[in-house]
Amino acid sequence: MKNVNVVLGAFYGDEGKGKIIDYLSRNAKYAVRFSGGNNAGHSIEVNNVKFAFHLLPSGILNKNIKAILGNGVVIDPKVLLEEIDNLKEHGYKVDNLYISEKAHVILPYHIILDELLESIRGKNKIGTTKRGIGPAYCDKFERCGIRMEDFISDSFYDLLKINIANKNVFLKAYGYPELKFDDVYKEYSSYAKKLKKYVCDTTTMLHKAIKKNENILCEGAQATLLDIDFGSYPFVTSSNPTIGGVSTGTGIGSRYINEVIGVIKAYSSRVGEGPYVTEQKNAIGDMIRELGHEYGTTTKRPRRCGWLDIVALNYAIMINGMTSIALNHLDTIGKLDKIKLCVAYKYNGKITTDFSTNMDFLNNSEAVYEEFEGNFGDISKCKTFDELPLKAQKYVQRIEELTNTPIKFIGTGAGRDDIIVRE
Ligand code: IMO
Ligand code: MG
């Protein structure tokens, strides 16, 4: 009964999880988001239409799939309705969406507070997506959050009233305009009406599927190094995008999990503040950004770019128990003359391959590189590993060797079918 597969980001997000999810969802009956919210940005191109999902599981494009927003997700109802409408405009019925009654709702004060808290942090800002994610999770753990089941019921009125009164005290203290309860209630209760039909007990639903041996695909958002516990705190998101988040964010215990696929790019990127050992703040980083179109799907921010980091990757494999790797953008890195791969760090004069999220360690470690030949040529037509140029094979094999983990998927281009699958 191990029919749950999980796709997780290994680094700082934007590894191209959408592409792998899109491929795997062809064989899945359920596609589940378990953590985060619309801070994510997963793009998939179908019949020349580019879809950018922030909240909906990307698997929803497969009409035979049941798409679930699990209890661990924080939901901005306005954004969700926009995504649903966009799908409808493209001919999707969206009658295959199920939202956990336990998922928490992002309300306007969360978004304002995200912005306000960032401005208070000043030069120590995190560089959040300003989507209200952190404040929404704060309320969840403070136990004043509003869950979907509250949102669609009469209790929304009282809960919202208390919350707005409390948040206004804070907003006023910082000279921000106060929120007007009546306006927010009117707008958001209209969203609640529209979303009500999707709200249900998704945990029971998933367990019925597990019993029937139906395939479930859990779609990670964000990534290991953005994890609130295992990432580069405080430069992280406010949830657990790592493997534990699958269980707490869906109600599926670890015994049902089969494959855990870690997604990486053949280089690396980070958006927002925080340490980044293999970052290239130079012409190479600029070139990777342009070749890989490394600009945010969610915030349009230029991403910081650098080399692939095996030290961090092995940490992600360890934390999540990743069983295989999906390597994206091999075509992109193959456009460079020379490619570097970080195989160790030098910290306090000592070479180490042990990763740590200790800030001093991350801020003062220097990457130790191996160099590879680039110039792979056009690899988008390669459908098997053997068809790849030897130079490309060598790079992929070295990553497998250093991680002791099979690379099962290789992204060879931007298109949906530009992928090599190795069984
Ligand atoms: P996907 O799913 C890249 C980053 C933000 C910021 C930090 C905290 O597309 O890989 P938050 O708004 O979550 O409080 O911001 O986390 N971040 C991401 N970076 N991809 C993402 O998602 C991200 N989600 C959050 O840039 O540094
Ligand atoms: Mg992103």
Side-chain angles (χ1 to χ4, degrees), residues 222-264:
Q222 289 79 52
T224 306
L225 299 181
L226 290 175
D227 186 276
I228 188 82
D229 285 284
F230 298 107
S232 60
Y233 192 93
F235 303 102
V236 292
T237 192
S238 300
S239 66
N240 288 115
T242 46
I243 192 72
V246 174
S247 293
T248 52
T250 62
I252 298 175
S254 55
R255 67 185 283 223
Y256 303 111
I257 295 172
N258 180 28
E259 285 253 18
V260 182
I261 300 147
V263 188
I264 59 172

Side-chain angles (χ1 to χ4, degrees), residues 12-14 17 39-42 222 271 296-298 303:
Y12 295 109
D14 307 320
K17 295 179 285 288
N39 45 350
H42 302 164
Q222 289 79 52
V271 59
T297 317
T298 303
R303 294 178 186 145

Side-chain angles (χ1 to χ4, degrees), residues 5 21-30 62 65 214-217:
N5 293 316
I21 289 163
D22 179 45
Y23 178 82
L24 292 170
S25 70
R26 296 172 202 187
N27 283 322
K29 277 269 166 64
Y30 292 81
N62 172 348
I65 231 168
E214 289 176 328
N215 238 312
I216 297 169
L217 179 65

Side-chain angles (χ1 to χ4, degrees), residues 109-247:
Y109 45 80
H110 295 129
I111 300 166
I112 298 168
L113 286 172
D114 200 352
E115 162 119 28
L116 169 55
L117 291 168
E118 276 287 82
S119 74
I120 294 171
R121 286 182 200 112
K123 68 172 179 25
N124 296 322
K125 73 176 193 305
I126 293 163
T128 74
T129 59
K130 297 191 179 160
R131 301 298 192 259
I133 307 296
Y137 279 114
C138 277
D139 280 2
K140 171 175 177 172
F141 286 92
E142 210 281 313
R143 293 156 297 178
C144 66
I146 297 178
R147 298 164 306 160
M148 285 306 293
E149 68 171 67
D150 311 315
F151 184 52
I152 59 168
S153 77
D154 292 342
S155 57
F156 179 50
Y157 186 93
D158 286 339
L159 292 171
L160 185 72
K161 196 148 211 180
I162 297 168
N163 278 356
I164 288 191
N166 284 338
K167 307 296 177 190
N168 274 345
V169 175
F170 195 78
L171 295 182
K172 198 174 168 193
Y174 280 92
Y176 267 58
E178 292 175 52
L179 281 165
K180 291 195 181 68
F181 168 78
D182 289 340
D183 295 350
V184 179
Y185 181 72
K186 191 169 167 225
E187 181 182 349
Y188 278 73
S189 49
S190 81
Y191 301 150
K193 272 197 199 91
K194 289 185 188 161
L195 290 174
K196 189 170 181 167
K197 65 176 175 210
Y198 301 112
V199 180
C200 62
D201 174 358
T202 53
T203 302
T204 302
M205 190 176 165
L206 284 167
H207 278 280
K208 284 187 176 162
I210 289 172
K211 282 216 177 84
K212 281 198 265 172
N213 214 21
E214 289 176 328
N215 238 312
I216 297 169
L217 179 65
C218 291
E219 301 188 5
Q222 289 79 52
T224 306
L225 299 181
L226 290 175
D227 186 276
I228 188 82
D229 285 284
F230 298 107
S232 60
Y233 192 93
F235 303 102
V236 292
T237 192
S238 300
S239 66
N240 288 115
T242 46
I243 192 72
V246 174
S247 293

